[in-house]
Amino acid sequence: QPAAGAQGELTGILMIRAYHRAHGDLERTDVLVPDSAHGTNPATASMAGFRTVNVPSASDGGVDVDRFRAALGPRTAAVMIPNPSTLGLFEARIGELLEAVHDAGALAYMDGANLNAIMGRFKPGEAGFDVMHFNVHKTFSTPHGGGGPGAGPVGVGERLEPYPPPPPGRPEGGGRLRLERPREPPPPLWRRRRVVRATAGLPLSYTAIR
């Protein structure tokens, strides 16, 4: 459960990277990002080592489907789409877009920052998204920009079930680590920092305080 939406994005994109690597598909280096996406989307793709390919909007504000299809190819690893978009518009042709993504062998990431607009009306998994993060602090608590603690848990579809990050490690003496136990209370902040250094950044839950 990453601590914020942007951290959830990174977790999801790293899972997509792990998926392609596990399948020996090392030539997939591109992530398609519509120009109506959040600025964190291209930043996340770059942080994960991908090349961002910008896809323009059509005259109705949705993704230009023809330009989107033209950008898809054997080098496409994923597409990152906020739905509704940053313009506040629902992608009416989302099924067509995601079908094209999967036909190209790529995976689909949904940015869930605007999820509160479609709760109970749209199911991302049934639409074909492979992974998404939920901005719990926006959707179920404080409004967008209302402050307070963040939370960006990630949900995955069947393709990515084997690839979530492992539980954070805990030092156990003698330079050894053990996995965090269920319902174990978090360590003090100073110990968290030591854990992150000891594990070379493996526990994604702690990367924000490195």
Side-chain angles (χ1 to χ4, degrees):
Q1 297 186 10
Q7 200 176 25
E9 286 180 24
L10 181 59
T11 303
I13 289 297
L14 289 177
M15 281 191 272
I16 288 175
R17 188 179 72 180
Y19 171 89
H20 288 306
R21 287 181 175 179
H23 288 79
D25 216 349
L26 304 181
E27 299 301 315
R28 293 190 179 274
T29 56
D30 296 348
V31 173
L32 306 190
V33 181
D35 61 7
S36 58
H38 290 167
T40 54
N41 292 173
T44 292
S46 297
M47 288 177 65
F50 291 108
R51 184 177 75 99
T52 300
V53 177
N54 183 262
V55 180
S57 297
S59 59
D60 62 359
V63 176
D64 187 317
V65 177
D66 292 334
R67 300 284 291 274
F68 182 86
R69 287 182 177 275
L72 281 170
R75 301 184 68 86
T76 307
V79 58
M80 299 182 76
I81 302 180
N83 197 28
S85 70
T86 305
L87 302 176
L89 301 174
F90 182 83
E91 293 288 351
R93 301 173 71 179
I94 193 64
E96 182 180 349
L97 293 174
L98 298 187
E99 184 178 356
V101 169
H102 291 138
D103 286 345
L107 299 181
Y109 184 94
M110 177 172 154
D111 184 325
N114 300 328
L115 184 66
N116 56 339
I118 56 174
M119 285 294 294
R121 295 179 177 273
F122 175 72
K123 295 182 178 180
E126 289 186 3
F129 282 103
D130 299 292
V131 55
M132 70 173 292
H133 78 268
F134 302 81
N135 284 88
V136 179
H137 53 297
K138 298 175 184 176
T139 305
F140 301 109
S141 183
T142 55
H144 194 161
V154 174
V156 301
E158 291 182 4
R159 290 181 178 88
L160 293 178
E161 280 184 2
Y163 302 101
R170 295 289 182 90
E172 201 168 43
R176 293 180 300 177
L177 292 174
R178 62 170 174 79
L179 293 180
E180 191 174 77
R181 300 185 182 101
R183 295 180 294 281
E184 184 173 16
L189 183 60
W190 66 271
R191 285 191 62 197
R192 290 189 188 184
R193 286 176 175 151
R194 290 177 62 190
V195 169
V196 168
R197 285 199 294 271
T199 58
L202 281 178
L204 290 174
S205 302
Y206 294 159
T207 54
I209 59 169
R210 220 183 316 187

